[in-house]
Amino acid sequence: MLKKLTISISIAVALAALALGQNPPAPPTPPDPQVMIQMRVSFLASYLTLTDAQKAGATSIYTNAYTAGQTIQTNLQTSQQSLAAAVKKNDTAAIATLAATIGTLTGQLTAINSTADASFYALLTADQQTKYDAMPPGFGGGPGGPGGPGGPGGAGAHFLRPPAQ
């Protein structure tokens, strides 16, 4: 009996060591912006029964918004990294300046995203607008508000996050 228990424990320890020795899987790579745009347009097309012309218009609108926000997004990420460094140095002057810069950049992204939402909303029929307005936050509906994976300053295309209501 003691021999069986010893063997069982030895096997369990060996299996645990093997399991702990495995490298964790790499985090998934987010889809590229064009894929994310297409996913959003596909969802909206399905939910709102968009015409082909509306789908093409939406794709164009959201592609243009992504392109317009690229430089701002890069500057925002750089400013956030600089802010993190300023916090570690207790550089209060830099913190104040960078916080103001981040606020301005976030505002610019919000304007781009809200303009894209307004342009998309204008493409919709009255019935589609009613249905869009009724969509809960988190499902891509409702006009206005900032958007994007990770929130303001997060990586990716900001216009893809569902608008806040």
Side-chain angles (χ1 to χ4, degrees):
M1 176 74 170
L2 184 59
K3 186 174 182 178
K4 286 183 181 182
L5 180 62
T6 304
I7 291 173
S8 295
I9 291 174
S10 297
I11 290 172
V13 169
L15 290 174
L18 286 174
L20 293 173
Q22 300 294 319
N23 290 330
T29 303
D32 85 4
Q34 204 57 42
V35 170
M36 292 186 335
I37 291 166
Q38 194 55 50
M39 289 170 57
R40 182 175 189 190
V41 171
S42 292
F43 170 77
L44 291 169
S46 173
Y47 188 78
L48 300 171
T49 317
L50 299 179
T51 66
D52 288 342
Q54 288 173 315
K55 288 187 261 186
T59 300
S60 177
I61 288 166
Y62 292 124
T63 299
N64 291 340
Y66 174 79
T67 301
Q70 276 296 94
T71 300
I72 297 167
Q73 179 65 30
T74 300
N75 292 339
L76 183 59
Q77 289 172 335
T78 300
S79 294
Q80 289 174 327
Q81 291 168 351
S82 298
L83 179 61
V87 166
K88 290 177 183 177
K89 292 188 235 174
N90 194 25
D91 185 346
T92 56
I95 290 170
T97 300
L98 290 164
T101 299
I102 289 168
T104 299
L105 294 169
T106 301
Q108 291 171 351
L109 285 174
T110 299
I112 289 168
N113 298 328
S114 295
T115 301
D117 287 340
S119 296
F120 174 71
Y121 194 73
L123 291 177
L124 301 176
T125 66
D127 288 342
Q128 289 170 327
Q129 287 177 349
T130 300
K131 195 168 186 180
Y132 184 81
D133 291 340
M135 292 173 71
F139 290 95
H158 279 277
F159 63 86
L160 295 177
R161 180 175 3 122
Q165 292 191 358

mmCIF file of all heavy atoms in Angstrom, residues 85-93 95:
data_model
loop_
_atom_site.group_PDB
_atom_site.id
_atom_site.type_symbol
_atom_site.label_atom_id
_atom_site.label_comp_id
_atom_site.label_asym_id
_atom_site.label_seq_id
_atom_site.Cartn_x
_atom_site.Cartn_y
_atom_site.Cartn_z
ATOM 1 N N ALA A 85 6.989 58.069 -16.928
ATOM 2 C CA ALA A 85 8.374 58.364 -16.524
ATOM 3 C C ALA A 85 8.415 59.582 -15.594
ATOM 4 O O ALA A 85 9.170 59.592 -14.605
ATOM 5 C CB ALA A 85 9.243 58.601 -17.754
ATOM 6 N N ALA A 86 7.602 60.596 -15.884
ATOM 7 C CA ALA A 86 7.571 61.797 -15.045
ATOM 8 C C ALA A 86 7.048 61.465 -13.652
ATOM 9 O O ALA A 86 7.522 62.029 -12.653
ATOM 10 C CB ALA A 86 6.708 62.873 -15.698
ATOM 11 N N VAL A 87 6.088 60.566 -13.568
ATOM 12 C CA VAL A 87 5.567 60.151 -12.269
ATOM 13 C C VAL A 87 6.677 59.488 -11.456
ATOM 14 O O VAL A 87 6.852 59.781 -10.260
ATOM 15 C CB VAL A 87 4.352 59.200 -12.443
ATOM 16 C CG1 VAL A 87 4.003 58.489 -11.138
ATOM 17 C CG2 VAL A 87 3.155 59.962 -12.985
ATOM 18 N N LYS A 88 7.453 58.630 -12.092
ATOM 19 C CA LYS A 88 8.538 57.938 -11.388
ATOM 20 C C LYS A 88 9.623 58.902 -10.913
ATOM 21 O O LYS A 88 10.299 58.645 -9.919
ATOM 22 C CB LYS A 88 9.142 56.860 -12.289
ATOM 23 C CG LYS A 88 8.211 55.698 -12.505
ATOM 24 C CD LYS A 88 8.789 54.674 -13.443
ATOM 25 C CE LYS A 88 7.791 53.554 -13.693
ATOM 26 N NZ LYS A 88 8.288 52.574 -14.647
ATOM 27 N N LYS A 89 9.769 60.032 -11.629
ATOM 28 C CA LYS A 89 10.773 61.041 -11.246
ATOM 29 C C LYS A 89 10.186 62.113 -10.334
ATOM 30 O O LYS A 89 10.888 63.022 -9.934
ATOM 31 C CB LYS A 89 11.337 61.723 -12.496
ATOM 32 C CG LYS A 89 12.173 60.849 -13.376
ATOM 33 C CD LYS A 89 12.825 61.696 -14.444
ATOM 34 C CE LYS A 89 12.502 61.152 -15.805
ATOM 35 N NZ LYS A 89 12.978 61.997 -16.888
ATOM 36 N N ASN A 90 8.879 62.026 -10.065
ATOM 37 C CA ASN A 90 8.187 63.048 -9.285
ATOM 38 C C ASN A 90 8.369 64.434 -9.911
ATOM 39 O O ASN A 90 8.546 65.430 -9.227
ATOM 40 C CB ASN A 90 8.641 63.039 -7.823
ATOM 41 C CG ASN A 90 7.715 63.837 -6.928
ATOM 42 O OD1 ASN A 90 6.543 64.015 -7.244
ATOM 43 N ND2 ASN A 90 8.241 64.328 -5.823
ATOM 44 N N ASP A 91 8.321 64.487 -11.238
ATOM 45 C CA ASP A 91 8.485 65.732 -11.987
ATOM 46 C C ASP A 91 7.104 66.360 -12.182
ATOM 47 O O ASP A 91 6.425 66.149 -13.190
ATOM 48 C CB ASP A 91 9.150 65.428 -13.338
ATOM 49 C CG ASP A 91 9.467 66.662 -14.138
ATOM 50 O OD1 ASP A 91 8.950 67.756 -13.808
ATOM 51 O OD2 ASP A 91 10.221 66.540 -15.126
ATOM 52 N N THR A 92 6.679 67.148 -11.189
ATOM 53 C CA THR A 92 5.320 67.676 -11.195
ATOM 54 C C THR A 92 5.059 68.634 -12.355
ATOM 55 O O THR A 92 3.941 68.688 -12.870
ATOM 56 C CB THR A 92 4.980 68.357 -9.854
ATOM 57 O OG1 THR A 92 5.944 69.382 -9.591
ATOM 58 C CG2 THR A 92 4.993 67.334 -8.721
ATOM 59 N N ALA A 93 6.058 69.378 -12.781
ATOM 60 C CA ALA A 93 5.865 70.290 -13.921
ATOM 61 C C ALA A 93 5.592 69.487 -15.193
ATOM 62 O O ALA A 93 4.675 69.813 -15.967
ATOM 63 C CB ALA A 93 7.091 71.187 -14.098
ATOM 64 N N ILE A 95 4.449 66.448 -15.310
ATOM 65 C CA ILE A 95 3.167 65.770 -15.126
ATOM 66 C C ILE A 95 2.028 66.688 -15.553
ATOM 67 O O ILE A 95 1.133 66.285 -16.291
ATOM 68 C CB ILE A 95 2.985 65.295 -13.665
ATOM 69 C CG1 ILE A 95 3.942 64.134 -13.363
ATOM 70 C CG2 ILE A 95 1.536 64.891 -13.383
ATOM 71 C CD1 ILE A 95 4.027 63.755 -11.893
#
